[in-house]
Amino acid sequence: MDRRAGAGDPRPIGIFDSGVGGLTVVRAIRERLPMEPTIYVADLLHFPYGPRFQDEVRGFAIDIIRYLESRDVKLVVIACNTATAAALNHARELFEVPIVGVISPGAQAAVEATKNNRVGVISTEGTMRSQEYLHAIKEIDPMVGVYQKACPELVDIVEAGEADSPRAEEVLRRDLDDIVRLGADTLVLGCTHYPLLKPAITRLYPGSFQLVDSATTTAAKVERHLDHSRLRAAGAEPRHEILVTAVPHQFDRIAANIFGDAVHAQEVQLWEKQTT
Ligand code: DGL
């Protein structure tokens, strides 16, 4: 491909998650890099990833990356903390295409944000069991205390379109209680579904935390990578595809809220015989 013609590298960025959560990363990427085309895959067939075994999630992630590679993406973003914890290292060994995860950008942002060296991390069970945030944060600054909490119900609440509801507030109050008592001044939203809970968190705990959102930090990392590797697109209005691996139900409605525009996800079959 001739990239000197002024169109840069027009290939899309491939992005995936188990459901609507990764769309928070897509939104951040579209805002930061408005000329980049994207292909998003929501693996609704296997949602939720959080309670599953790591090797199972890794298998789903590898299959999705293989599909994205077949679509000639220039970069893959694993827009899911659970899948990043389960598959990032392995996937980098398997594939030529560059792959970015969401954990190290969030860990870096948390270390930069904390003033009292106390960081809370909320995530799925899978991400918490992997201890990836603990290691990533301690790798940058071993003096930072990390308080982790698995909040699986919050994932279901967001996927059901109830992120800004009394139910969300009740569960947040229960789940964040320990982290508030431990005095963390920074809260990592260690699941890409959680940025949609920001209004409820801010209402419940005004000014208590610096919220670290892995969506915006990952978009910044994607920008750095594209610039460094000279992979930026330029020119034409970019095309965005949103694909789902099972019937979308609430998906289009929640996605439309995220983008402020109608979304019509297309179904894609990635597995011959459907596994659940
Ligand atoms: N959004 C995902 C994450 O960041 C996973 C939620 C789930 O499928 O349990 O971990």
Side-chain angles (χ1 to χ4, degrees):
M1 183 187 1
D2 183 4
R3 294 193 195 140
R4 289 165 304 176
D9 184 336
R11 292 176 298 160
I13 301 173
I15 306 161
F16 72 94
D17 180 34
S18 59
V20 292
L23 290 175
T24 60
V25 180
V26 175
R27 179 178 58 188
I29 290 175
R30 283 199 205 172
E31 279 168 10
R32 207 173 178 107
L33 298 159
M35 301 320 288
E36 297 298 332
T38 59
I39 301 177
Y40 180 72
V41 177
D43 186 11
L44 296 181
L45 182 65
H46 301 119
F47 173 88
Y49 280 180
R52 293 181 182 271
F53 290 115
Q54 275 214 341
D55 56 354
E56 195 181 16
V57 174
R58 186 179 307 127
F60 300 147
I62 297 302
D63 289 344
I64 296 168
I65 297 170
R66 191 166 291 125
Y67 167 74
L68 290 170
E69 204 183 39
S70 78
R71 298 287 314 274
D72 196 25
V73 297
K74 60 185 167 189
L75 173 73
V76 170
V77 180
I78 306 184
C80 171
N81 292 263
T82 315
T84 298
L88 179 62
N89 292 341
H90 186 63
R92 281 179 172 156
E93 290 167 17
L94 279 183
F95 296 98
E96 290 277 328
V97 62
I99 306 173
V100 170
V102 282
I103 292 181
S104 72
Q108 181 70 45
V111 172
E112 283 164 17
T114 185
K115 300 268 185 292
N116 70 358
N117 279 356
R118 292 181 201 181
V119 170
V121 179
I122 54 172
S123 71
T124 65
E125 306 99 303
T127 302
M128 183 167 150
R129 273 198 309 269
S130 76
Q131 301 288 349
E132 290 281 335
Y133 269 105
L134 178 90
H135 294 304
I137 291 172
K138 296 278 186 192
E139 187 65 31
I140 302 164
D141 186 347
M143 302 308 282
V144 174
V146 182
Y147 310 107
Q148 303 177 86
K149 174 94 180 172
C151 307
E153 206 178 333
L154 293 176
V155 177
D156 294 332
I157 288 174
V158 171
E159 195 73 27
E162 295 174 25
D164 204 0
S165 69
R167 182 180 165 213
E169 287 195 8
E170 191 187 315
V171 175
L172 278 167
R173 212 176 274 117
R174 186 194 68 202
D175 282 356
L176 295 185
D177 191 49
D178 289 353
I179 292 177
V180 172
R181 274 191 294 108
L182 287 162
D185 68 351
T186 300
L187 181 67
V188 178
L189 306 176
C191 168
T192 51
H193 280 68
Y194 298 166
L196 299 171
L197 295 160
K198 271 183 183 173
I201 298 175
T202 315
R203 215 168 29 246
L204 287 175
Y205 303 104
S208 297
F209 305 115
Q210 292 255 52
L211 293 179
V212 172
D213 167 344
S214 35
T216 47
T217 51
T218 302
K221 183 162 184 171
V222 167
E223 182 177 34
R224 281 198 302 279
H225 180 76
L226 294 184
D227 282 343
H228 181 75
S229 308
R230 297 174 194 275
L231 290 174
R232 280 241 203 181
E237 187 67 22
R239 182 177 137 82
H240 299 292
E241 272 181 70
I242 297 187
L243 307 171
V244 289
T245 59
V247 183
H249 298 295
Q250 308 267 12
F251 186 92
D252 285 357
R253 185 175 62 80
I254 307 167
N257 278 343
I258 294 175
F259 294 113
D261 217 349
V263 168
H264 302 289
Q266 305 293 314
E267 274 189 69
V268 62
Q269 199 187 329
L270 298 192
W271 293 274
E272 282 291 301
K273 194 167 152 274
Q274 300 211 328
T275 48
T276 50

